[in-house]
Amino acid sequence: MLDIAAKNVFRHKIRSFLTILGIALGIGLILALGSIGAGLSSQIEQQFASRAAYIQVSASNDADGISDDTIQGIQALPGVEYAVPIGTYQISRTVRGGFGGGFQGGGVRVPGVGGGGGFSGGGAGSTSVTFTGINPEDLDILISEDVDTTDGRKLESSDAGKEVVLLGSKAATNQGLNVGDEIEYAYRPRNATNTISYYFLVVGILEETADSNIDSSFYAPLDTMQEITDRDTIEDLRVKAIDVSLVEGLTTTIGDLFDDVRAMSSVTIIRQLESSLAQIQLAVYGIAGISILVGGIGVMNTMIMSVMERRREIGVMKAIGATTTTILVQVIQESAILSLIGGFAGLGLGYLSVDVIPRMTSFQPILTMDLVALGMGFALVLGIGAGIYPAWSASRLDPIEVLRYE
């Protein structure tokens, strides 16, 4: 019966082709959109995988910072491997060649570069640079010991109290800085009228990591920055859990136990992003579902027309002994074959989109076997579902009436 059903499908080639095209476009759309969603999920997981065990703890009030009692309390929590204190010191550039002074710091410039000691890169406008104060022995904890320098060296324990700075790759490029350059940190203490200049020697430039938080940073010894600013305030802690499975619980515990901090983990961010992505994918699948529904209507229309055109043939089959079930099964087979051909064509379109999208963008979609199974399952269910009414209609034909009419 399958060979007969296959022959019947291609009796009207143009009509069958258009029906198959409609199904193929719907299935191809589902696979393409699904592969984009899978690619985004994979990208999110890869981006945050290296930070999954970390919790970012920030002061609720930057002016007050995180108290020593809170830091010690967090370090003592069960499941915490370590808590690294971090200070941030922002420097604002407000006009060409000059920097706005203030309590948080005055400016950064490279002496002798750009003429008259101006800021490398010059030009009107405004920009800001943030010094990240960290204990040198904690540097590898913050950026990973796998990150090395392309020039110079990292901060060392002997740098404590010294005016030295380690740059991320993007920070060095954007500011036109090299190892051996000096960065002037013009700081004006609170209630003072004059600024005091401190010259930080660039001792190293980190390799590019694709992590903007590292690549754009200026790392300086924490005690040096605290001494210069006469400020012991700690605004952030980098907390690492012993195991990734403890992260969410620790994040909640820190937020509940300590009023002066806010805690957020990469796991929480991942779940929020995946939740938003799932909602977007649901809406996209709804649109694709409408496309498939239209394809299903096309299949049903094709099969109804096919049954109407073959009334005499069906009447003869019933007259010579074909049962109602035989007619029913044959028409459903024809519908399923038509839809499955469209499904395979849609699968080809899905694989084509996965190949073409990376060539046009830097994004890599992922076509999983689950998506393939979903697409082909849709095609099969669509074919059977769309063929039920035409099959039932054909099986109900009275051979005497049909032959008399024809």
Side-chain angles (χ1 to χ4, degrees):
M1 290 181 65
L2 279 173
D3 58 337
I4 297 174
K7 290 178 181 178
N8 288 334
V9 165
F10 293 103
R11 281 188 175 185
H12 296 277
K13 293 182 175 59
I14 299 299
R15 186 170 67 197
S16 296
F17 170 76
L18 293 174
T19 303
I20 290 170
L21 180 61
I23 298 169
L25 291 174
I27 298 298
L29 182 61
I30 277 189
L31 295 178
L33 295 175
S35 65
I36 290 173
L40 285 173
S41 295
S42 176
Q43 197 173 61
I44 290 170
E45 290 177 3
Q46 289 177 4
Q47 184 174 358
F48 289 96
S50 61
R51 291 181 273 174
Y54 294 95
I55 303 169
Q56 186 65 37
V57 179
S58 305
S60 299
N61 187 323
D62 288 341
D64 295 335
I66 304 174
S67 67
D68 290 338
D69 289 341
T70 296
I71 294 174
Q72 293 172 9
I74 292 174
Q75 289 175 330
L77 287 175
V80 171
E81 184 174 342
Y82 56 72
V84 176
I86 300 171
T88 55
Y89 307 84
Q90 190 168 1
I91 308 138
S92 299
R93 182 188 181 204
T94 55
V95 294
R96 186 179 64 175
F99 300 85
F103 173 63
Q104 295 297 327
V108 176
R109 66 181 176 87
V110 185
V113 177
F119 187 86
S120 179
S126 64
T127 186
S128 63
V129 171
T130 300
F131 272 17
T132 299
I134 183 170
N135 294 319
E137 58 269 21
D138 293 334
L139 179 66
D140 282 343
I141 295 176
L142 184 65
I143 67 173
S144 171
E145 60 184 11
D146 295 331
V147 178
D148 204 353
T149 57
T150 56
D151 194 13
R153 61 174 176 81
K154 292 183 180 180
L155 296 181
E156 300 172 348
S157 299
S158 59
D159 290 325
K162 296 181 180 179
E163 294 166 19
V164 294
V165 61
L166 172 68
L167 307 185
S169 59
K170 186 179 293 185
T173 301
N174 290 347
Q175 309 300 336
L177 295 168
N178 298 297
V179 171
D181 288 339
E182 284 186 329
I183 302 177
E184 180 183 1
Y185 180 11
Y187 179 75
R188 187 176 66 194
R190 187 190 298 273
N191 300 323
T193 56
N194 298 322
T195 61
I196 303 173
S197 291
Y198 299 89
Y199 294 90
F200 283 76
L201 177 67
V202 178
V203 295
I205 297 173
L206 294 171
E207 63 185 5
E208 187 174 356
T209 65
D211 184 336
S212 59
N213 292 327
I214 297 175
D215 293 341
S216 301
S217 292
F218 292 69
Y219 297 106
L222 178 61
D223 54 358
T224 300
M225 301 308 298
Q226 289 178 332
E227 183 178 349
I228 288 174
T229 60
D230 193 23
R231 196 161 59 93
D232 294 336
T233 304
I234 299 298
E235 294 92 353
D236 298 287
L237 286 178
R238 181 80 175 271
V239 179
K240 184 180 180 182
I242 295 174
D243 190 84
V244 176
S245 61
L246 303 175
V247 169
E248 289 186 282
L250 279 173
T251 302
T252 302
T253 300
I254 292 171
D256 292 341
L257 291 181
F258 305 99
D259 296 332
D260 58 339
V261 297
R262 300 184 299 267
M264 179 168 287
S265 69
S266 295
V267 174
T268 305
I269 297 172
I270 290 173
R271 294 196 186 282
Q272 291 174 346
L273 290 174
E274 287 182 338
S275 176
S276 299
L277 183 59
Q279 294 178 8
I280 294 172
Q281 281 186 297
L282 187 62
V284 167
Y285 282 143
I287 297 171
I290 294 173
S291 176
I292 290 180
L293 180 61
V294 172
I297 294 173
V299 173
M300 183 180 292
N301 179 62
T302 297
M303 295 312 302
I304 289 174
M305 292 178 66
S306 177
V307 168
M308 293 298 292
E309 292 169 354
R310 293 158 48 205
R311 285 167 58 88
R312 180 180 176 83
E313 178 186 322
I314 294 170
V316 170
M317 290 176 63
K318 296 198 73 174
I320 62 176
T323 64
T324 298
T325 301
T326 300
I327 301 299
L328 189 70
V329 170
Q330 181 175 327
V331 176
I332 289 180
Q333 282 179 345
E334 293 175 19
S335 177
I337 290 172
L338 192 67
S339 190
L340 281 175
I341 293 173
F344 281 111
L347 181 59
L349 291 176
Y351 275 108
L352 182 63
S353 68
V354 170
D355 183 59
V356 170
I357 290 175
R359 298 182 184 182
M360 301 175 63
T361 67
S362 59
F363 176 73
Q364 177 63 60
I366 300 174
L367 186 56
T368 64
M369 290 308 298
D370 289 342
L371 282 172
V372 172
L374 176 66
M376 298 308 296
F378 259 122
L380 183 59
V381 171
L382 180 67
I384 294 174
I388 288 177
Y389 173 73
W392 176 80
S393 177
S395 69
R396 298 279 294 176
L397 290 175
D398 185 339
I400 297 174
E401 291 295 328
V402 169
L403 294 174
R404 178 188 299 168
Y405 175 77
E406 294 294 336

